[in-house]
């Protein structure tokens, strides 16, 4: 991974380069910012730049043995740590147990998101975490001599997912690091990191890329016109993952679209039995997938509301737009914000382990009332 592979944020890239070039690498660095903006990729580029033996023009060379090992995710002095699931009840688990899935994730995603990682893990009812067993593994590996570099690097993605016991055990080597050790923490939510670790990091806040930068990336990456790319980038509000997802109408989005259409049609016709049946079908999605479905519904409500006002400012697939041409008049000033609010409340209730069947059927009854007035 090179810095040039990540769009924009040149001032941040220069700051990271200067740390390395001037031999002022902090022993604990926190790279923080909104989800979906490329923080993990920036951390990977920084780690490769640190290990590269032939840096030039502010980039890792991509050709030396260290760079080649980074590109295959096999560098002996590079330790990845990230949220995982317990494979069996009571069995200890570390990131190393999921290294093949992690390599697949990094290969597929230049711009990472927790939701995409959950899809790789293929368990929609899970809450991946960094367990206490991870701390012993990291401490053991960091205590060993470096192989091909003067620095051993731990790149921890989403340290806010650490169990408190894990964080407390790692605190000692963050306070009193082994010689040549570097911790690079990458966080979507630094407020959720325990304060004792947070206070010992040098923090760099990563700004969101601009709409124009995202549009340029989408145009190049997906081969679409700049105007179409701009229409997708604008509502993404700096989140590259959101913009990419809007362009890649995958099987899950097709499933969500079909369900959304079915729900809205039955809500309009006041088919309560049909809505009850649909709520029971959605319950089978399990918690995390239900939340993704509700997020998709919120986007559809917003897009259909905009479709009534400024059609050129929406980005919908052909199927979504065809449905929206007839459905969008029912999403207006009277109900749009309430629908989005009800969807958000339902998602929060699902996340809090409320009875999903009751929450979803209640949501459908409220949707019926709001759609029909």
């Amino acid at each position: 991974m090179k810095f040039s592979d990540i769009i924009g944020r040149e001032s941040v890239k220069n700051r990271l380069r200067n740390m390395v070039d001037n031999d002022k690498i902090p022993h604990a660095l926190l790279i923080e910012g909104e989800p979906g903006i490329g923080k993990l990729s920036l951390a990977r580029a920084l780690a490769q730049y640190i290990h590269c033996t032939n840096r030039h023009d502010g980039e890792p060379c991509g050709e030396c043995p260290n760079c080649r090992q980074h590109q295959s995710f096999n560098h002996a002095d590079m330790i990845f740590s990230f949220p995982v699931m317990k494979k069996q009840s009571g069995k200890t688990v570390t990131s190393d147990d999921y290294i093949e899935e992690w390599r697949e994730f990094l290969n597929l995603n230049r711009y990472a998101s927790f939701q995409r990682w959950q899809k790789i893990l293929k368990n929609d009812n899970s809450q991946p975490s960094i367990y206490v067993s991870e701390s012993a593994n990291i401490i053991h590996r960091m205590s060993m001599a470096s192989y091909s570099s003067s620095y051993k690097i731990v790149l921890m993605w989403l340290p806010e997912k650490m169990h408190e016991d894990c964080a407390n055990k790692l605190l000692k080597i963050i306070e009193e690091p082994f010689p040549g050790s570097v911790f690079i923490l990458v966080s979507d939510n630094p407020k959720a990191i325990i304060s004792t670790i947070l206070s010992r990091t040098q923090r760099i806040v990563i700004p969101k890329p601009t709409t124009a930068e995202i549009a340029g990336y989408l145009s190049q990456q997906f081969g679409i016109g700049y105007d179409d790319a701009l229409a997708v980038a604008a509502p993404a509000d700096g989140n590259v993952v959101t913009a990419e997802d809007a362009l890649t109408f995958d099987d899950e989005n097709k499933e969500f679209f079909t369900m959304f259409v079915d729900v809205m049609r039955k809500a309009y016709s006041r088919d309560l039995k049909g809505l009850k049946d649909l709520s029971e079908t959605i319950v089978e999605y399990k918690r995390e997938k239900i939340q993704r479905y509700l997020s998709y519904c919120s986007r559809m409500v917003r897009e259909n509301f905009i479709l009534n006002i400024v059609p050129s400012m929406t980005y919908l697939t052909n199927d979504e737009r065809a449905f929206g041409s007839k459905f969008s008049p029912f999403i207006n000033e009277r109900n749009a914000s309430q629908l989005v609010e009800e969807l958000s409340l339902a998602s929060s209730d699902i996340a809090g382990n409320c009875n999903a069947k009751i929450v979803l059927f209640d949501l459908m009854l409220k949707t019926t009332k709001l759609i029909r007035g």
Side-chain angles (χ1 to χ4, degrees):
M1 179 64 65
K2 295 186 176 183
F3 290 115
S4 56
D5 292 327
I6 305 129
I7 59 174
R9 278 67 59 84
E10 293 305 321
S11 62
V12 172
K13 293 175 186 177
N14 286 332
R15 183 177 174 185
L16 296 174
R17 291 184 186 108
N18 289 335
M19 285 179 177
V20 182
D21 294 341
N22 296 321
D23 199 23
K24 293 183 178 180
I25 305 170
H27 71 273
L29 179 68
L30 176 63
I31 296 177
E32 60 182 276
E34 300 276 337
I37 63 173
K39 301 185 301 296
L40 180 57
S41 290
L42 279 168
R44 287 175 55 202
L46 172 62
Q48 185 171 335
Y49 193 64
I50 291 171
H51 282 156
C52 178
T53 58
N54 189 29
R55 306 176 202 125
H56 55 82
D57 297 328
E59 292 283 7
C61 70
E63 298 174 357
C64 70
N66 281 336
C67 280
R68 290 199 297 270
Q69 289 168 25
H70 267 275
Q71 289 157 9
S72 61
F73 313 112
N74 283 312
H75 199 287
D77 296 325
M78 182 75 192
I79 302 166
F80 286 108
S81 179
F82 43 86
V84 297
M85 302 179 308
K86 288 186 176 180
K87 294 188 175 183
Q88 295 178 9
S89 178
K91 183 180 178 182
T92 59
V93 62
T94 69
S95 300
D96 289 349
D97 295 311
Y98 283 89
I99 196 63
E100 291 306 319
E101 291 89 342
W102 181 249
R103 288 167 179 158
E104 177 189 359
F105 175 64
L106 295 183
N107 274 319
L108 291 174
N109 298 283
R110 184 184 303 180
Y111 294 89
S113 75
F114 187 55
Q115 290 72 26
R116 287 181 174 180
W117 175 232
Q118 286 178 304
K119 285 186 180 182
I120 293 284
L121 294 177
K122 298 177 181 177
N123 190 325
D124 286 313
N125 207 30
S126 69
Q127 284 294 332
S129 299
I130 300 175
Y131 296 99
V132 65
S133 50
E134 184 84 351
S135 58
N137 184 51
I138 289 174
I139 291 169
H140 170 70
R141 293 183 64 183
M142 292 295 278
S143 67
M144 299 170 66
S146 300
Y147 286 87
S148 58
S149 171
S150 56
Y151 288 100
K152 288 186 79 73
I153 300 173
V154 175
L155 198 167
M156 180 178 284
W157 184 53
L158 304 183
E160 57 266 32
K161 302 290 183 182
M162 267 194 293
H163 280 209
E164 187 173 350
D165 287 344
C166 177
N168 287 329
K169 288 180 182 295
L170 287 179
L171 179 60
K172 181 174 177 57
I173 64 167
I174 292 177
E175 287 180 320
E176 302 174 15
F178 294 109
S181 66
V182 177
F183 277 82
I184 304 175
L185 311 180
V186 181
S187 175
D188 290 347
N189 183 18
K191 292 180 181 178
I193 302 172
I194 67 168
S195 59
T196 48
I197 284 184
L198 194 64
S199 64
R200 286 161 176 81
T201 63
Q202 182 171 324
R203 301 171 65 173
I204 296 183
V205 179
I206 309 299
K208 294 184 289 188
T210 66
T211 296
E213 287 170 340
I214 296 176
Y217 163 76
L218 295 175
S219 180
Q220 181 182 39
Q221 193 75 7
F222 292 89
I224 62 174
Y226 183 77
D227 289 343
D228 288 339
L230 200 60
V232 181
D237 190 28
N239 190 319
V240 184
V241 172
T242 299
E244 287 182 331
D245 287 347
L247 283 174
T248 54
F249 200 55
D250 60 16
D251 290 341
E252 182 173 273
N253 279 339
K254 291 175 185 177
E255 181 182 2
F256 288 170
F257 169 67
T258 300
M259 182 62 71
F260 177 80
V261 170
D262 210 1
V263 168
M264 293 304 162
R265 284 174 174 165
K266 285 180 169 57
Y268 179 78
S269 61
R270 293 195 174 99
D271 180 359
L272 299 187
K273 182 182 182 303
L275 289 172
K276 184 174 183 295
D277 291 342
L278 287 176
S279 67
E280 292 175 354
T281 298
I282 297 171
V283 166
E284 298 302 316
Y285 286 168
K286 298 184 180 178
R287 183 173 61 242
E288 300 298 332
K289 188 173 178 180
I290 292 172
Q291 290 181 272
R292 293 199 297 272
Y293 167 70
L294 295 175
S295 176
Y296 173 83
C297 291
S298 292
R299 184 180 75 82
M300 286 296 289
V301 169
R302 290 191 294 269
E303 292 293 328
N304 276 275
F305 178 65
I306 297 170
L307 191 61
N308 283 319
I309 304 169
V310 191
S312 62
M313 292 297 292
T314 61
Y315 187 86
L316 297 165
T317 67
N318 291 335
D319 288 342
E320 289 173 339
R321 188 173 290 275
F323 175 69
S325 65
K326 297 177 181 178
F327 171 69
S328 62
F330 297 98
I331 305 297
N332 47 52
E333 294 88 348
R334 176 183 57 81
N335 60 17
S337 61
Q338 284 183 272
L339 282 167
V340 171
E341 182 179 352
E342 293 296 343
L343 287 161
S344 177
L345 288 172
S347 184
S348 296
D349 288 341
I350 296 294
N353 286 321
C354 292
N355 187 307
K357 190 178 294 186
I358 294 174
V359 171
L360 291 169
F361 187 50
D362 179 64
L363 172 64
M364 291 186 183
L365 293 177
K366 290 174 178 175
T367 298
T368 301
K369 183 177 179 180
L370 289 168
I371 293 291
R372 291 301 301 262

